[in-house]
Amino acid sequence: MKHIVAVSDKKQLGKFIDFPHELYKADANYVPELFIAQQDMLTPGKHPFHKHSSLQTFLAYDGERIVGRIAAIQNNNHNTINGVNDGFFGFFDCINDQETADLLLNTAANWLKERKLDTMVGPVNFSTNDICALLIEGFDGPPVAMMPYNAPYYLSLLEKAGFHKKVDLRAYRFTAGNYNDRSSKLVTALQERLTRSNIVIRKINVKNFKQEAAAIREVYNKAWDKNLGFVPMTNEEFDYTAKDLKMIMDPDFCLLAEQDGKIVGFALAVPDINQVLIKIKRGRLFPTGLYKLLTQKSKIQGIRILLLGVVDGYRKMGIEACLYGLIIQAFQKKKMTYAEASWTLDHNDLINKPIEQIGGELYRKYRILEKNLN
């Protein structure tokens, strides 16, 4: 008989984190999340999200066998900043069974209703600053760094449970030699033009990482403030994320646009660490995972262009093209084979058209869904 258990201790949390490994053990494209990172994220006191918001994780059982998991999430900062009353669901994984999916989703919905929230949005793991959305097109390979992955049947489970599209997200792929590198060739001219406005583009100073990260945080929160459902990171949340990114970051792919010492834009591409994580069994760093992480990081052949933002008043000056061009130059110099630009909003032509013009291939789509709780 199927039933739900609310996760309430460390042992159950371990089972919650490990469930996807069982579900996808025959799927060659599945990339396990690092266990320690997931444990910290979901443990109050470990991740700064828990200082302003709350969640409850649940496991679905069929007899003694785990058949699904979900988290019900109340993100107070999201609701305050956007003037909404949303609830989220995240960390959703389920066998291909509608009864199980309904049981999980209804349990999460009831938790959100008890907190008088009006809508249920997801999958979103805390906020759109974190891993979010459902893969709906492009199941032919592993996800790149910090992008979601799920079986194709998830969309049907959610739609039959009453969820409908809120927004679609896009991922574009570039392959070596198969893109327009005009912006790369124009970098020198673009930089000279920007210099006349006292704007310079430089690599991040890793030795002064803390101060650099604080400046980037300010730009990040300003540059994305009009994006759908965006919620600025708290200082602690940004520092937490920056600390994680620093471990995989390549300074050649972290660029800052600066005018008279003030950061006005930045771009960040990260090595596709999933090329290594896919080989780390069940996301465990010990006994062999850490060795693989340390020794194989230099062999990564791809990047994810994760962020590119310019604050109001500095857009359309050529900063964006210059940042892209410098990333392409670094990509070429390192003889990498692929890059993914992700994610972008489906309707954001201001970003999507330039990506397509330089040869980006729309190869994956993701969806955030919602359902009214009233």
Side-chain angles (χ1 to χ4, degrees):
M1 183 177 173
K2 294 186 178 73
H3 63 283
I4 292 285
V5 171
V7 172
S8 59
D9 58 36
K10 198 171 181 179
K11 185 178 179 182
Q12 288 173 332
L13 181 60
K15 291 178 180 178
F16 181 92
I17 296 167
D18 282 341
F19 171 67
H21 309 328
E22 296 300 321
L23 185 65
Y24 289 102
K25 62 185 175 185
D27 189 333
N29 293 328
Y30 170 70
V31 179
E33 295 276 3
L34 284 178
F35 181 87
I36 191 168
Q38 291 282 284
Q39 188 179 51
D40 282 359
M41 190 174 187
L42 292 165
T43 302
K46 295 274 189 177
H47 192 285
F49 166 85
H50 302 280
K51 291 192 173 182
H52 59 76
S53 298
S54 59
L55 82 156
Q56 176 62 55
T57 47
F58 300 95
L59 286 166
Y61 282 82
D62 186 354
E64 295 184 0
R65 181 171 71 104
I66 297 173
V67 289
R69 69 172 194 170
I70 198 168
I73 301 162
Q74 181 177 8
N75 188 325
N76 295 319
N77 281 5
H78 166 87
N79 288 338
T80 301
I81 288 158
N82 290 290
V84 293
N85 196 34
D86 293 335
F88 291 105
F89 74 95
F91 302 91
F92 174 73
D93 287 292
C94 184
I95 62 170
N96 191 5
D97 176 70
Q98 194 63 49
E99 182 188 359
T100 304
D102 288 346
L103 188 60
L104 285 163
L105 292 161
N106 288 337
T107 300
N110 288 335
W111 189 91
L112 297 172
K113 283 179 188 176
E114 287 171 4
R115 283 146 187 83
K116 297 183 168 45
L117 297 166
D118 297 331
T119 50
M120 185 170 173
V121 181
V124 174
N125 297 354
F126 293 175
S127 77
T128 54
N129 294 314
D130 305 290
I131 292 177
C132 65
L134 194 74
L135 178 63
I136 60 170
E137 290 178 23
F139 296 89
D140 55 345
V144 301
M146 295 175 282
M147 288 296 283
Y149 180 77
N150 53 266
Y153 63 78
Y154 279 37
L155 181 59
S156 175
L157 292 178
L158 289 168
E159 288 179 340
K160 286 178 180 174
F163 286 84
H164 60 272
K165 170 184 167 181
K166 181 178 179 69
V167 68
D168 282 356
L169 313 175
R170 296 184 177 193
Y172 289 91
R173 187 175 177 90
F174 299 88
T175 50
N178 190 28
Y179 55 86
N180 183 344
D181 63 352
R182 182 171 173 268
S183 61
S184 172
K185 291 172 181 174
L186 290 175
V187 160
T188 302
L190 285 167
Q191 285 182 307
E192 286 175 359
R193 192 172 78 183
L194 290 172
T195 301
R196 291 197 286 272
S197 298
N198 292 329
I199 295 171
V200 296
I201 294 179
R202 61 174 178 81
K203 297 176 191 178
I204 190 169
N205 181 353
V206 179
K207 290 180 180 177
N208 197 20
F209 184 79
K210 193 170 182 180
Q211 190 174 329
E212 297 273 68
I216 291 171
R217 179 183 66 234
E218 191 175 335
V219 176
Y220 178 79
N221 285 339
K222 283 180 182 176
W224 275 266
D225 63 359
K226 293 181 178 67
N227 272 357
L228 178 85
F230 175 75
V231 53
M233 289 189 185
T234 65
N235 292 357
E236 287 178 276
E237 284 173 325
F238 193 92
D239 291 346
Y240 187 97
T241 303
K243 186 179 175 185
D244 282 350
L245 287 173
K246 187 182 179 185
M247 290 191 285
I248 62 169
M249 187 184 72
D250 180 337
D252 289 338
F253 292 123
C254 186
L255 306 173
L256 310 180
E258 194 174 57
Q259 184 185 56
D260 301 324
K262 175 189 171 188
I263 308 297
V264 296
F266 76 101
L268 172 66
V270 293
D272 183 13
I273 195 70
N274 279 9
Q275 282 194 356
V276 179
L277 296 183
I278 199 168
K279 301 171 186 174
I280 298 179
K281 191 174 181 182
R282 299 176 74 82
R284 268 31 177 217
L285 286 176
F286 300 99
T288 61
L290 185 60
Y291 175 78
K292 287 177 182 174
L293 197 62
L294 293 173
T295 59
Q296 297 186 27
K297 200 168 76 166
S298 61
K299 299 174 184 176
I300 291 170
Q301 287 298 299
I303 57 171
R304 177 185 170 200
I305 303 169
L306 180 67
L307 298 168
L308 193 151
V310 177
V311 298
D312 269 338
Y314 292 88
R315 291 168 188 162
K316 298 183 180 178
M317 294 177 64
I319 295 173
E320 296 92 337
C322 201
L323 290 167
Y324 262 121
L326 288 166
I327 284 176
I328 290 170
Q329 283 185 349
F331 177 85
Q332 291 169 329
K333 188 177 179 181
K334 294 172 189 290
K335 294 183 169 55
M336 290 187 152
T337 58
Y338 70 91
E340 178 178 300
S342 61
W343 47 263
T344 69
L345 293 167
D346 196 43
H347 56 269
N348 191 346
D349 290 340
L350 195 65
I351 293 293
N352 296 332
K353 287 197 180 209
I355 292 175
E356 291 166 3
Q357 284 167 357
I358 61 172
E361 172 202 358
L362 174 58
Y363 84 124
R364 284 182 184 156
K365 273 199 172 187
Y366 302 83
R367 180 166 294 171
I368 294 176
L369 301 99
E370 66 181 347
K371 179 181 181 179
N372 198 315
L373 292 175
N374 296 324

mmCIF file of all heavy atoms in Angstrom, residues 318-334:
data_model
loop_
_atom_site.group_PDB
_atom_site.id
_atom_site.type_symbol
_atom_site.label_atom_id
_atom_site.label_comp_id
_atom_site.label_asym_id
_atom_site.label_seq_id
_atom_site.Cartn_x
_atom_site.Cartn_y
_atom_site.Cartn_z
ATOM 1 N N GLY A 318 27.756 47.632 -26.235
ATOM 2 C CA GLY A 318 28.746 46.690 -26.744
ATOM 3 C C GLY A 318 29.399 45.855 -25.667
ATOM 4 O O GLY A 318 30.240 44.990 -25.954
ATOM 5 N N ILE A 319 28.988 46.076 -24.401
ATOM 6 C CA ILE A 319 29.583 45.307 -23.300
ATOM 7 C C ILE A 319 29.244 43.822 -23.444
ATOM 8 O O ILE A 319 30.112 42.950 -23.307
ATOM 9 C CB ILE A 319 29.107 45.849 -21.927
ATOM 10 C CG1 ILE A 319 29.611 47.275 -21.716
ATOM 11 C CG2 ILE A 319 29.595 44.945 -20.797
ATOM 12 C CD1 ILE A 319 29.061 47.948 -20.462
ATOM 13 N N GLU A 320 27.958 43.534 -23.744
ATOM 14 C CA GLU A 320 27.521 42.139 -23.861
ATOM 15 C C GLU A 320 28.317 41.417 -24.943
ATOM 16 O O GLU A 320 28.813 40.305 -24.733
ATOM 17 C CB GLU A 320 26.018 42.063 -24.184
ATOM 18 C CG GLU A 320 25.112 42.616 -23.087
ATOM 19 C CD GLU A 320 24.771 44.093 -23.266
ATOM 20 O OE1 GLU A 320 25.534 44.821 -23.944
ATOM 21 O OE2 GLU A 320 23.743 44.513 -22.738
ATOM 22 N N ALA A 321 28.440 42.059 -26.132
ATOM 23 C CA ALA A 321 29.162 41.440 -27.251
ATOM 24 C C ALA A 321 30.632 41.213 -26.902
ATOM 25 O O ALA A 321 31.233 40.191 -27.260
ATOM 26 C CB ALA A 321 29.042 42.306 -28.499
ATOM 27 N N CYS A 322 31.201 42.160 -26.184
ATOM 28 C CA CYS A 322 32.603 42.044 -25.788
ATOM 29 C C CYS A 322 32.807 40.882 -24.808
ATOM 30 O O CYS A 322 33.764 40.106 -24.929
ATOM 31 C CB CYS A 322 33.065 43.358 -25.166
ATOM 32 S SG CYS A 322 34.851 43.575 -25.195
ATOM 33 N N LEU A 323 31.899 40.752 -23.845
ATOM 34 C CA LEU A 323 31.976 39.652 -22.885
ATOM 35 C C LEU A 323 31.863 38.303 -23.596
ATOM 36 O O LEU A 323 32.643 37.380 -23.344
ATOM 37 C CB LEU A 323 30.872 39.788 -21.826
ATOM 38 C CG LEU A 323 31.027 40.946 -20.829
ATOM 39 C CD1 LEU A 323 29.738 41.163 -20.048
ATOM 40 C CD2 LEU A 323 32.195 40.704 -19.883
ATOM 41 N N TYR A 324 30.884 38.196 -24.506
ATOM 42 C CA TYR A 324 30.721 36.960 -25.283
ATOM 43 C C TYR A 324 31.989 36.675 -26.089
ATOM 44 O O TYR A 324 32.472 35.539 -26.136
ATOM 45 C CB TYR A 324 29.529 37.076 -26.242
ATOM 46 C CG TYR A 324 28.259 36.452 -25.724
ATOM 47 C CD1 TYR A 324 27.104 37.205 -25.553
ATOM 48 C CD2 TYR A 324 28.202 35.095 -25.409
ATOM 49 C CE1 TYR A 324 25.932 36.638 -25.072
ATOM 50 C CE2 TYR A 324 27.036 34.514 -24.927
ATOM 51 C CZ TYR A 324 25.903 35.292 -24.765
ATOM 52 O OH TYR A 324 24.744 34.729 -24.291
ATOM 53 N N GLY A 325 32.521 37.726 -26.751
ATOM 54 C CA GLY A 325 33.698 37.550 -27.586
ATOM 55 C C GLY A 325 34.901 37.038 -26.811
ATOM 56 O O GLY A 325 35.631 36.152 -27.271
ATOM 57 N N LEU A 326 35.111 37.579 -25.613
ATOM 58 C CA LEU A 326 36.243 37.150 -24.788
ATOM 59 C C LEU A 326 36.067 35.719 -24.290
ATOM 60 O O LEU A 326 37.044 34.965 -24.182
ATOM 61 C CB LEU A 326 36.421 38.118 -23.613
ATOM 62 C CG LEU A 326 36.976 39.500 -24.005
ATOM 63 C CD1 LEU A 326 36.798 40.497 -22.865
ATOM 64 C CD2 LEU A 326 38.442 39.407 -24.423
ATOM 65 N N ILE A 327 34.817 35.334 -23.997
ATOM 66 C CA ILE A 327 34.560 33.945 -23.597
ATOM 67 C C ILE A 327 34.839 33.007 -24.770
ATOM 68 O O ILE A 327 35.449 31.939 -24.609
ATOM 69 C CB ILE A 327 33.111 33.788 -23.075
ATOM 70 C CG1 ILE A 327 33.012 34.362 -21.652
ATOM 71 C CG2 ILE A 327 32.690 32.318 -23.070
ATOM 72 C CD1 ILE A 327 31.624 34.362 -21.064
ATOM 73 N N ILE A 328 34.422 33.414 -25.977
ATOM 74 C CA ILE A 328 34.682 32.597 -27.173
ATOM 75 C C ILE A 328 36.189 32.456 -27.397
ATOM 76 O O ILE A 328 36.686 31.366 -27.717
ATOM 77 C CB ILE A 328 33.990 33.206 -28.413
ATOM 78 C CG1 ILE A 328 32.466 33.043 -28.301
ATOM 79 C CG2 ILE A 328 34.489 32.537 -29.700
ATOM 80 C CD1 ILE A 328 31.677 33.818 -29.352
ATOM 81 N N GLN A 329 36.930 33.553 -27.208
ATOM 82 C CA GLN A 329 38.379 33.488 -27.375
ATOM 83 C C GLN A 329 39.015 32.484 -26.409
ATOM 84 O O GLN A 329 39.884 31.689 -26.791
ATOM 85 C CB GLN A 329 38.996 34.874 -27.172
ATOM 86 C CG GLN A 329 38.823 35.811 -28.354
ATOM 87 C CD GLN A 329 39.566 37.128 -28.159
ATOM 88 O OE1 GLN A 329 40.044 37.440 -27.071
ATOM 89 N NE2 GLN A 329 39.655 37.911 -29.224
ATOM 90 N N ALA A 330 38.576 32.524 -25.142
ATOM 91 C CA ALA A 330 39.104 31.585 -24.144
ATOM 92 C C ALA A 330 38.710 30.149 -24.497
ATOM 93 O O ALA A 330 39.513 29.220 -24.358
ATOM 94 C CB ALA A 330 38.593 31.954 -22.749
ATOM 95 N N PHE A 331 37.481 29.976 -24.977
ATOM 96 C CA PHE A 331 36.969 28.674 -25.400
ATOM 97 C C PHE A 331 37.849 28.113 -26.517
ATOM 98 O O PHE A 331 38.232 26.945 -26.508
ATOM 99 C CB PHE A 331 35.520 28.862 -25.877
ATOM 100 C CG PHE A 331 34.852 27.634 -26.411
ATOM 101 C CD1 PHE A 331 34.226 26.733 -25.556
ATOM 102 C CD2 PHE A 331 34.799 27.383 -27.784
ATOM 103 C CE1 PHE A 331 33.581 25.611 -26.053
ATOM 104 C CE2 PHE A 331 34.156 26.269 -28.290
ATOM 105 C CZ PHE A 331 33.549 25.382 -27.415
ATOM 106 N N GLN A 332 38.191 28.970 -27.497
ATOM 107 C CA GLN A 332 39.021 28.547 -28.623
ATOM 108 C C GLN A 332 40.440 28.207 -28.169
ATOM 109 O O GLN A 332 41.013 27.197 -28.582
ATOM 110 C CB GLN A 332 39.067 29.658 -29.672
ATOM 111 C CG GLN A 332 37.751 29.887 -30.401
ATOM 112 C CD GLN A 332 37.771 31.154 -31.239
ATOM 113 O OE1 GLN A 332 38.444 32.119 -30.900
ATOM 114 N NE2 GLN A 332 37.024 31.159 -32.335
ATOM 115 N N LYS A 333 40.987 29.062 -27.311
ATOM 116 C CA LYS A 333 42.362 28.875 -26.841
ATOM 117 C C LYS A 333 42.534 27.556 -26.092
ATOM 118 O O LYS A 333 43.566 26.885 -26.201
ATOM 119 C CB LYS A 333 42.754 30.051 -25.940
ATOM 120 C CG LYS A 333 44.220 30.064 -25.538
ATOM 121 C CD LYS A 333 44.529 31.306 -24.702
ATOM 122 C CE LYS A 333 45.991 31.310 -24.270
ATOM 123 N NZ LYS A 333 46.315 32.490 -23.430
ATOM 124 N N LYS A 334 41.500 27.184 -25.321
ATOM 125 C CA LYS A 334 41.572 25.949 -24.537
ATOM 126 C C LYS A 334 41.165 24.717 -25.342
ATOM 127 O O LYS A 334 41.128 23.608 -24.812
ATOM 128 C CB LYS A 334 40.673 26.083 -23.298
ATOM 129 C CG LYS A 334 41.157 27.131 -22.304
ATOM 130 C CD LYS A 334 40.136 27.365 -21.200
ATOM 131 C CE LYS A 334 40.501 28.559 -20.342
ATOM 132 N NZ LYS A 334 41.680 28.339 -19.490
#
